[in-house]
Amino acid sequence: MKKAVIYVFLSAIFFSCGPQERVSRETIEEVNSNMEIKRLTEVEILDEAMTWGDSITAEAQKLLISQLQKAIEEKGVPGAVDYCHLQAIPILAQLSQKHQVQLRRVSNAYRNPADQPTIEEKPLLEAYEYNAEGGFASEPNIQKFEKGEVLLYTKPIVIPNGMCLNCHGEPGKDISKETQEKIDDRYPDDKATGHRVGDLRGMWSVRIPKKEVVKRL
């Protein structure tokens, strides 16, 4: 029941947004043709998109954490700030290319300005923030865009453990002076400190073309 309430809430705030982009006739015809041949239902497509979104974000999270741990071991926490500054977005871009999707981490409390939410992502992120402030659980979600030909998968990101507090915790307590100086230098408009374990950090955003989901079924 709770999932249903969250889904309805997310849907309501999304459909209050502005007009969606047009989709080429060729894309629509290709998807419709594939669906007819395979006799796929909309529920099957959404379920597969949800499963795929879970898999892609789990792969991304595992890769980012393993690379971050390696950077910390080799260069210490301050050196890991440079890793995030230079490598995190390229890693996500590589995974996007691999899966033919658009994969992002999004936050209103961003460190890198490139991680600010788009007009499509903002109401969904705010819904997760609303749930976090109220102590409610949030689940992964799927929304339709561009006349249903693009599916937007989102999932909340929380601070998983104390390691993350070395860069995202309380300055002077969790974050060393050297690390804070490196953050200030690389990210002068940083908004990503003051967190505790379990806090909402942001959300995963995966824009998945419907035709790519159909190919998987």
Side-chain angles (χ1 to χ4, degrees):
M1 181 63 183
K2 184 181 294 183
K3 290 184 180 179
V5 171
I6 293 172
Y7 183 85
V8 169
F9 177 65
L10 289 168
S11 299
I13 58 177
F14 160 65
F15 284 113
S16 66
C17 295
Q20 301 169 23
E21 301 174 24
R22 291 187 174 181
V23 183
S24 69
R25 181 181 298 276
E26 291 79 6
T27 298
I28 295 174
E29 290 177 349
E30 179 183 352
V31 172
N32 288 341
S33 176
N34 286 335
M35 287 178 63
E36 183 176 352
I37 292 172
K38 297 182 180 181
R39 296 182 180 179
L40 300 176
T41 67
E42 199 70 11
V43 171
E44 289 173 322
I45 293 172
L46 293 176
D47 284 347
E48 178 62 22
M50 181 70 77
T51 300
W52 196 18
D54 287 339
S55 175
I56 291 171
T57 54
E59 179 183 3
Q61 184 80 1
K62 181 178 179 180
L63 182 58
L64 288 173
I65 288 177
S66 66
Q67 292 297 313
L68 178 59
Q69 289 174 331
K70 182 179 179 181
I72 291 174
E73 290 171 1
E74 294 177 351
K75 304 177 181 179
V77 174
V81 174
D82 282 329
Y83 155 77
C84 290
H85 181 67
L86 297 173
Q87 299 299 325
I89 289 180
I91 284 174
L92 297 185
Q94 291 172 6
L95 289 175
S96 295
Q97 173 109 22
K98 172 184 175 181
H99 295 290
Q100 294 298 297
V101 301
Q102 293 179 14
L103 172 64
R104 283 168 30 88
R105 291 182 300 178
V106 178
S107 180
N108 283 322
Y110 56 85
R111 174 153 289 167
N112 189 329
D115 293 336
Q116 294 180 73
T118 66
I119 191 171
E120 296 172 344
E121 295 163 339
K122 191 172 181 61
L124 301 169
L125 176 57
E126 289 176 347
Y128 287 135
E129 291 173 339
Y130 176 87
N131 284 343
E133 289 172 4
F136 304 114
S138 290
E139 302 290 342
N141 183 263
I142 290 282
Q143 293 289 335
K144 298 179 183 180
F145 286 85
E146 300 179 17
K147 299 182 180 179
E149 301 310 312
V150 172
L151 305 176
L152 179 61
Y153 168 97
T154 59
K155 181 171 73 173
I157 299 173
V158 299
I159 300 290
N161 54 51
M163 181 184 75
C164 299
L165 300 184
N166 288 315
C167 291
H168 294 290
E170 292 287 344
K173 179 183 175 182
D174 305 305
I175 305 175
S176 71
K177 180 180 178 181
E178 185 181 3
T179 300
Q180 187 63 56
E181 288 175 351
K182 184 64 70 74
I183 292 171
D184 292 341
D185 180 63
R186 297 292 186 267
Y187 304 100
D189 297 322
D190 178 53
K191 303 178 186 296
T193 60
H195 289 295
R196 294 176 296 179
V197 173
D199 280 358
L200 180 73
R201 175 75 187 86
M203 76 177 188
W204 285 106
S205 170
V206 190
R207 287 176 59 89
I208 307 174
K210 186 176 181 179
K211 66 179 182 179
E212 296 299 326
V213 181
V214 171
K215 289 178 183 177
R216 293 172 56 86
L217 292 167

